[in-house]
mmCIF file of all heavy atoms in Angstrom:
data_model
loop_
_atom_site.group_PDB
_atom_site.id
_atom_site.type_symbol
_atom_site.label_atom_id
_atom_site.label_comp_id
_atom_site.label_asym_id
_atom_site.label_seq_id
_atom_site.Cartn_x
_atom_site.Cartn_y
_atom_site.Cartn_z
ATOM 1 N N SER A 1 -17.084 -142.342 164.725
ATOM 2 C CA SER A 1 -16.177 -142.684 163.635
ATOM 3 C C SER A 1 -15.338 -143.812 164.264
ATOM 4 O O SER A 1 -14.987 -143.748 165.481
ATOM 5 C CB SER A 1 -15.390 -141.488 163.214
ATOM 6 O OG SER A 1 -14.577 -141.016 164.151
ATOM 7 N N VAL A 2 -14.867 -144.737 163.391
ATOM 8 C CA VAL A 2 -14.006 -145.918 163.833
ATOM 9 C C VAL A 2 -12.581 -145.381 163.658
ATOM 10 O O VAL A 2 -12.182 -144.830 162.557
ATOM 11 C CB VAL A 2 -14.308 -147.037 163.003
ATOM 12 C CG1 VAL A 2 -13.390 -148.187 163.366
ATOM 13 C CG2 VAL A 2 -15.720 -147.531 163.137
ATOM 14 N N ARG A 3 -11.839 -145.468 164.690
ATOM 15 C CA ARG A 3 -10.448 -145.046 164.746
ATOM 16 C C ARG A 3 -9.585 -146.277 164.414
ATOM 17 O O ARG A 3 -9.963 -147.448 164.858
ATOM 18 C CB ARG A 3 -9.989 -144.324 165.971
ATOM 19 C CG ARG A 3 -10.604 -143.141 166.288
ATOM 20 C CD ARG A 3 -10.022 -142.596 167.493
ATOM 21 N NE ARG A 3 -10.263 -141.165 167.551
ATOM 22 C CZ ARG A 3 -9.812 -140.332 168.421
ATOM 23 N NH1 ARG A 3 -8.802 -140.796 169.302
ATOM 24 N NH2 ARG A 3 -9.988 -139.062 168.376
ATOM 25 N N PRO A 4 -8.528 -146.138 163.668
ATOM 26 C CA PRO A 4 -7.588 -147.186 163.467
ATOM 27 C C PRO A 4 -7.000 -147.772 164.810
ATOM 28 O O PRO A 4 -6.778 -146.901 165.649
ATOM 29 C CB PRO A 4 -6.511 -146.689 162.488
ATOM 30 C CG PRO A 4 -6.529 -145.303 162.686
ATOM 31 C CD PRO A 4 -8.068 -144.846 163.067
ATOM 32 N N VAL A 5 -6.801 -149.003 164.829
ATOM 33 C CA VAL A 5 -6.138 -149.625 166.035
ATOM 34 C C VAL A 5 -4.629 -149.763 165.729
ATOM 35 O O VAL A 5 -4.256 -150.370 164.827
ATOM 36 C CB VAL A 5 -6.647 -150.936 166.323
ATOM 37 C CG1 VAL A 5 -6.195 -151.532 167.658
ATOM 38 C CG2 VAL A 5 -8.258 -150.871 166.529
ATOM 39 N N THR A 6 -3.874 -149.213 166.535
ATOM 40 C CA THR A 6 -2.390 -148.951 166.231
ATOM 41 C C THR A 6 -1.522 -150.073 166.982
ATOM 42 O O THR A 6 -1.952 -150.475 168.172
ATOM 43 C CB THR A 6 -1.963 -147.614 166.756
ATOM 44 O OG1 THR A 6 -2.693 -146.630 166.064
ATOM 45 C CG2 THR A 6 -0.487 -147.393 166.547
ATOM 46 N N ILE A 7 -0.517 -150.566 166.439
ATOM 47 C CA ILE A 7 0.524 -151.410 166.918
ATOM 48 C C ILE A 7 1.651 -150.571 167.107
ATOM 49 O O ILE A 7 2.075 -149.902 166.220
ATOM 50 C CB ILE A 7 0.859 -152.537 166.134
ATOM 51 C CG1 ILE A 7 -0.420 -153.445 165.946
ATOM 52 C CG2 ILE A 7 1.970 -153.410 166.630
ATOM 53 C CD1 ILE A 7 -0.260 -154.645 164.921
ATOM 54 N N VAL A 8 2.202 -150.521 168.335
ATOM 55 C CA VAL A 8 3.528 -149.909 168.605
ATOM 56 C C VAL A 8 4.745 -150.891 168.682
ATOM 57 O O VAL A 8 4.692 -151.890 169.361
ATOM 58 C CB VAL A 8 3.500 -149.016 170.031
ATOM 59 C CG1 VAL A 8 4.938 -148.614 170.357
ATOM 60 C CG2 VAL A 8 2.542 -147.959 169.952
ATOM 61 N N LEU A 9 5.632 -150.591 167.906
ATOM 62 C CA LEU A 9 6.899 -151.554 167.750
ATOM 63 C C LEU A 9 7.945 -150.625 168.278
ATOM 64 O O LEU A 9 8.264 -149.505 167.699
ATOM 65 C CB LEU A 9 7.145 -151.833 166.265
ATOM 66 C CG LEU A 9 8.493 -152.512 166.049
ATOM 67 C CD1 LEU A 9 8.651 -153.749 166.897
ATOM 68 C CD2 LEU A 9 8.718 -152.850 164.566
ATOM 69 N N VAL A 10 8.692 -151.053 169.446
ATOM 70 C CA VAL A 10 9.757 -150.472 170.053
ATOM 71 C C VAL A 10 11.016 -151.262 169.648
ATOM 72 O O VAL A 10 11.272 -152.401 170.276
ATOM 73 C CB VAL A 10 9.580 -150.219 171.518
ATOM 74 C CG1 VAL A 10 10.692 -149.322 171.999
ATOM 75 C CG2 VAL A 10 8.184 -149.611 171.795
ATOM 76 N N GLU A 11 11.878 -150.844 168.657
ATOM 77 C CA GLU A 11 12.984 -151.618 168.217
ATOM 78 C C GLU A 11 13.984 -150.704 167.593
ATOM 79 O O GLU A 11 13.778 -149.812 166.778
ATOM 80 C CB GLU A 11 12.549 -152.489 167.088
ATOM 81 C CG GLU A 11 13.560 -153.267 166.261
ATOM 82 C CD GLU A 11 14.328 -154.179 167.070
ATOM 83 O OE1 GLU A 11 13.847 -155.185 167.561
ATOM 84 O OE2 GLU A 11 15.572 -153.824 167.222
ATOM 85 N N ASP A 12 15.193 -150.729 168.223
ATOM 86 C CA ASP A 12 16.297 -149.878 167.733
ATOM 87 C C ASP A 12 17.061 -150.280 166.572
ATOM 88 O O ASP A 12 17.735 -149.500 165.908
ATOM 89 C CB ASP A 12 17.360 -149.632 168.910
ATOM 90 C CG ASP A 12 18.138 -151.013 169.253
ATOM 91 O OD1 ASP A 12 17.379 -152.040 169.508
ATOM 92 O OD2 ASP A 12 19.214 -150.883 169.592
ATOM 93 N N ASP A 13 16.923 -151.476 166.134
ATOM 94 C CA ASP A 13 17.537 -152.142 164.899
ATOM 95 C C ASP A 13 16.692 -151.812 163.733
ATOM 96 O O ASP A 13 15.634 -152.515 163.665
ATOM 97 C CB ASP A 13 18.040 -153.524 165.170
ATOM 98 C CG ASP A 13 18.764 -154.135 163.929
ATOM 99 O OD1 ASP A 13 18.257 -153.989 162.713
ATOM 100 O OD2 ASP A 13 19.884 -154.520 164.208
ATOM 101 N N LEU A 14 17.021 -150.893 162.799
ATOM 102 C CA LEU A 14 16.150 -150.639 161.658
ATOM 103 C C LEU A 14 15.799 -151.948 160.771
ATOM 104 O O LEU A 14 14.746 -152.149 160.331
ATOM 105 C CB LEU A 14 16.722 -149.550 160.811
ATOM 106 C CG LEU A 14 15.955 -149.082 159.685
ATOM 107 C CD1 LEU A 14 14.682 -148.464 160.292
ATOM 108 C CD2 LEU A 14 16.679 -147.896 158.882
ATOM 109 N N GLY A 15 16.801 -152.698 160.695
ATOM 110 C CA GLY A 15 16.693 -154.040 159.979
ATOM 111 C C GLY A 15 15.654 -154.944 160.580
ATOM 112 O O GLY A 15 14.740 -155.524 159.928
ATOM 113 N N HIS A 16 15.663 -155.101 161.896
ATOM 114 C CA HIS A 16 14.779 -155.849 162.639
ATOM 115 C C HIS A 16 13.392 -155.316 162.496
ATOM 116 O O HIS A 16 12.324 -155.999 162.302
ATOM 117 C CB HIS A 16 15.122 -156.087 164.067
ATOM 118 C CG HIS A 16 16.317 -157.000 164.316
ATOM 119 N ND1 HIS A 16 16.916 -157.192 165.499
ATOM 120 C CD2 HIS A 16 17.065 -157.614 163.448
ATOM 121 C CE1 HIS A 16 17.863 -158.158 165.420
ATOM 122 N NE2 HIS A 16 17.965 -158.280 164.060
ATOM 123 N N ALA A 17 13.216 -153.953 162.767
ATOM 124 C CA ALA A 17 12.006 -153.229 162.615
ATOM 125 C C ALA A 17 11.319 -153.567 161.341
ATOM 126 O O ALA A 17 10.162 -153.748 161.153
ATOM 127 C CB ALA A 17 12.105 -151.867 162.782
ATOM 128 N N ARG A 18 12.129 -153.492 160.071
ATOM 129 C CA ARG A 18 11.542 -153.686 158.847
ATOM 130 C C ARG A 18 11.158 -155.217 158.622
ATOM 131 O O ARG A 18 10.054 -155.411 158.045
ATOM 132 C CB ARG A 18 12.599 -153.388 157.693
ATOM 133 C CG ARG A 18 12.765 -151.876 157.493
ATOM 134 C CD ARG A 18 13.678 -151.656 156.480
ATOM 135 N NE ARG A 18 13.981 -150.293 156.266
ATOM 136 C CZ ARG A 18 15.254 -149.729 155.821
ATOM 137 N NH1 ARG A 18 16.248 -150.491 155.702
ATOM 138 N NH2 ARG A 18 15.332 -148.483 155.882
ATOM 139 N N LEU A 19 11.896 -156.159 159.195
ATOM 140 C CA LEU A 19 11.614 -157.538 159.200
ATOM 141 C C LEU A 19 10.227 -157.846 159.856
ATOM 142 O O LEU A 19 9.336 -158.481 159.391
ATOM 143 C CB LEU A 19 12.724 -158.410 159.606
ATOM 144 C CG LEU A 19 12.498 -159.840 159.566
ATOM 145 C CD1 LEU A 19 12.242 -160.417 158.245
ATOM 146 C CD2 LEU A 19 13.698 -160.612 160.251
ATOM 147 N N ILE A 20 10.039 -157.204 161.062
ATOM 148 C CA ILE A 20 8.983 -157.432 161.776
ATOM 149 C C ILE A 20 7.772 -156.808 161.193
ATOM 150 O O ILE A 20 6.725 -157.492 161.039
ATOM 151 C CB ILE A 20 9.056 -156.843 163.294
ATOM 152 C CG1 ILE A 20 10.160 -157.683 164.048
ATOM 153 C CG2 ILE A 20 7.750 -156.802 164.049
ATOM 154 C CD1 ILE A 20 10.631 -156.955 165.268
ATOM 155 N N GLU A 21 7.880 -155.684 160.628
ATOM 156 C CA GLU A 21 6.809 -154.972 159.996
ATOM 157 C C GLU A 21 6.395 -155.785 158.803
ATOM 158 O O GLU A 21 5.154 -156.132 158.445
ATOM 159 C CB GLU A 21 6.967 -153.575 159.583
ATOM 160 C CG GLU A 21 5.841 -152.894 158.891
ATOM 161 C CD GLU A 21 6.131 -151.426 158.654
ATOM 162 O OE1 GLU A 21 7.264 -150.984 158.559
ATOM 163 O OE2 GLU A 21 5.139 -150.699 158.509
ATOM 164 N N ARG A 22 7.294 -156.224 157.936
ATOM 165 C CA ARG A 22 6.984 -157.090 156.770
ATOM 166 C C ARG A 22 6.351 -158.463 157.227
ATOM 167 O O ARG A 22 5.351 -158.768 156.512
ATOM 168 C CB ARG A 22 8.437 -157.392 155.956
ATOM 169 C CG ARG A 22 8.083 -157.955 154.700
ATOM 170 C CD ARG A 22 9.464 -158.180 153.809
ATOM 171 N NE ARG A 22 10.291 -156.913 154.038
ATOM 172 C CZ ARG A 22 11.570 -157.125 154.359
ATOM 173 N NH1 ARG A 22 12.186 -158.233 154.621
ATOM 174 N NH2 ARG A 22 12.297 -155.953 154.539
ATOM 175 N N SER A 23 6.693 -159.006 158.188
ATOM 176 C CA SER A 23 6.033 -160.322 158.722
ATOM 177 C C SER A 23 4.681 -159.984 158.983
ATOM 178 O O SER A 23 3.723 -160.796 158.917
ATOM 179 C CB SER A 23 6.864 -160.688 159.915
ATOM 180 O OG SER A 23 8.181 -161.295 159.613
ATOM 181 N N LEU A 24 4.393 -158.856 159.661
ATOM 182 C CA LEU A 24 2.971 -158.572 160.009
ATOM 183 C C LEU A 24 2.146 -158.415 158.766
ATOM 184 O O LEU A 24 1.075 -158.790 158.872
ATOM 185 C CB LEU A 24 2.999 -157.173 160.923
ATOM 186 C CG LEU A 24 3.519 -157.443 162.365
ATOM 187 C CD1 LEU A 24 3.705 -155.978 163.126
ATOM 188 C CD2 LEU A 24 2.569 -158.250 163.271
ATOM 189 N N ARG A 25 2.656 -157.664 157.916
ATOM 190 C CA ARG A 25 1.928 -157.435 156.570
ATOM 191 C C ARG A 25 1.669 -158.795 155.872
ATOM 192 O O ARG A 25 0.593 -158.942 155.350
ATOM 193 C CB ARG A 25 2.638 -156.463 155.641
ATOM 194 C CG ARG A 25 2.884 -155.153 156.252
ATOM 195 C CD ARG A 25 1.650 -154.334 156.762
ATOM 196 N NE ARG A 25 1.881 -153.196 157.523
ATOM 197 C CZ ARG A 25 1.301 -152.639 158.502
ATOM 198 N NH1 ARG A 25 0.194 -153.385 158.870
ATOM 199 N NH2 ARG A 25 1.503 -151.416 158.962
ATOM 200 N N ARG A 26 2.627 -159.757 155.916
ATOM 201 C CA ARG A 26 2.408 -160.869 155.281
ATOM 202 C C ARG A 26 1.407 -161.776 155.964
ATOM 203 O O ARG A 26 0.740 -162.678 155.421
ATOM 204 C CB ARG A 26 3.743 -161.788 155.252
ATOM 205 C CG ARG A 26 4.701 -161.369 154.087
ATOM 206 C CD ARG A 26 5.850 -162.296 153.962
ATOM 207 N NE ARG A 26 6.894 -161.648 153.324
ATOM 208 C CZ ARG A 26 8.090 -161.766 153.910
ATOM 209 N NH1 ARG A 26 8.506 -162.530 154.974
ATOM 210 N NH2 ARG A 26 9.077 -161.082 153.297
ATOM 211 N N ALA A 27 1.219 -161.521 157.239
ATOM 212 C CA ALA A 27 0.202 -162.110 158.031
ATOM 213 C C ALA A 27 -1.192 -161.482 158.078
ATOM 214 O O ALA A 27 -2.098 -161.704 158.621
ATOM 215 C CB ALA A 27 0.694 -162.296 159.535
ATOM 216 N N HIS A 28 -1.238 -160.515 156.974
ATOM 217 C CA HIS A 28 -2.374 -159.781 156.780
ATOM 218 C C HIS A 28 -2.832 -158.871 157.988
ATOM 219 O O HIS A 28 -4.103 -158.540 158.107
ATOM 220 C CB HIS A 28 -3.594 -160.748 156.389
ATOM 221 C CG HIS A 28 -3.156 -161.627 155.190
ATOM 222 N ND1 HIS A 28 -3.059 -161.092 154.007
ATOM 223 C CD2 HIS A 28 -2.991 -162.906 155.156
ATOM 224 C CE1 HIS A 28 -2.720 -162.164 153.221
ATOM 225 N NE2 HIS A 28 -2.727 -163.212 153.935
ATOM 226 N N VAL A 29 -1.977 -158.469 158.711
ATOM 227 C CA VAL A 29 -2.123 -157.462 159.791
ATOM 228 C C VAL A 29 -1.948 -156.010 159.174
ATOM 229 O O VAL A 29 -1.046 -155.704 158.571
ATOM 230 C CB VAL A 29 -1.139 -157.578 161.030
ATOM 231 C CG1 VAL A 29 -1.407 -156.491 162.048
ATOM 232 C CG2 VAL A 29 -1.251 -158.949 161.570
ATOM 233 N N THR A 30 -3.092 -155.426 159.067
ATOM 234 C CA THR A 30 -3.194 -154.017 158.372
ATOM 235 C C THR A 30 -3.240 -152.889 159.282
ATOM 236 O O THR A 30 -3.438 -151.773 158.810
ATOM 237 C CB THR A 30 -4.288 -154.009 157.395
ATOM 238 O OG1 THR A 30 -5.596 -154.155 158.195
ATOM 239 C CG2 THR A 30 -4.254 -155.160 156.420
ATOM 240 N N ASN A 31 -3.135 -153.034 160.599
ATOM 241 C CA ASN A 31 -3.101 -152.115 161.569
ATOM 242 C C ASN A 31 -2.186 -150.852 161.329
ATOM 243 O O ASN A 31 -0.982 -151.295 160.791
ATOM 244 C CB ASN A 31 -2.925 -152.512 163.015
ATOM 245 C CG ASN A 31 -3.944 -153.619 163.409
ATOM 246 O OD1 ASN A 31 -3.977 -154.694 162.742
ATOM 247 N ND2 ASN A 31 -4.652 -153.280 164.438
ATOM 248 N N ASP A 32 -2.424 -149.714 161.785
ATOM 249 C CA ASP A 32 -1.330 -148.780 161.625
ATOM 250 C C ASP A 32 -0.190 -149.135 162.704
ATOM 251 O O ASP A 32 -0.439 -149.795 163.717
ATOM 252 C CB ASP A 32 -1.954 -147.451 162.103
ATOM 253 C CG ASP A 32 -2.948 -146.738 161.138
ATOM 254 O OD1 ASP A 32 -2.807 -147.220 159.935
ATOM 255 O OD2 ASP A 32 -3.707 -145.890 161.494
ATOM 256 N N MET A 33 0.887 -148.792 162.347
ATOM 257 C CA MET A 33 2.134 -149.072 163.123
ATOM 258 C C MET A 33 2.866 -147.778 163.403
ATOM 259 O O MET A 33 3.047 -147.001 162.473
ATOM 260 C CB MET A 33 3.056 -150.003 162.548
ATOM 261 C CG MET A 33 2.471 -151.441 162.359
ATOM 262 S SD MET A 33 3.774 -152.577 161.855
ATOM 263 C CE MET A 33 4.939 -152.546 163.389
ATOM 264 N N VAL A 34 3.252 -147.694 164.622
ATOM 265 C CA VAL A 34 4.162 -146.595 165.117
ATOM 266 C C VAL A 34 5.525 -147.233 165.525
ATOM 267 O O VAL A 34 5.452 -148.233 166.317
ATOM 268 C CB VAL A 34 3.628 -145.835 166.274
ATOM 269 C CG1 VAL A 34 4.499 -144.833 166.801
ATOM 270 C CG2 VAL A 34 2.216 -145.223 165.957
ATOM 271 N N ILE A 35 6.519 -146.862 164.712
ATOM 272 C CA ILE A 35 7.877 -147.537 165.133
ATOM 273 C C ILE A 35 8.628 -146.510 165.833
ATOM 274 O O ILE A 35 8.941 -145.453 165.426
ATOM 275 C CB ILE A 35 8.554 -148.059 163.854
ATOM 276 C CG1 ILE A 35 7.708 -149.021 163.030
ATOM 277 C CG2 ILE A 35 9.934 -148.413 164.027
ATOM 278 C CD1 ILE A 35 8.189 -149.476 161.725
#
């Protein structure tokens, strides 16, 4: 079975984490994210 490929984001600022995740989604990055 194919497992999802995960991106780990280590960011203490919740606003920055949301902005980074939103930017990734706009760039069509659909990987699972662990924040």
Side-chain angles (χ1 to χ4, degrees):
S1 63
V2 177
R3 290 185 164 194
V5 181
T6 303
I7 295 172
V8 169
L9 171 60
V10 188
E11 171 62 68
D12 63 318
D13 184 303
L14 187 57
H16 286 180
R18 285 185 185 142
L19 179 63
I20 292 165
E21 184 175 18
R22 195 173 318 129
S23 294
L24 287 169
R25 300 302 178 214
R26 281 192 205 134
H28 306 290
V29 175
T30 59
N31 300 65
D32 289 342
M33 286 192 68
V34 173
I35 300 174

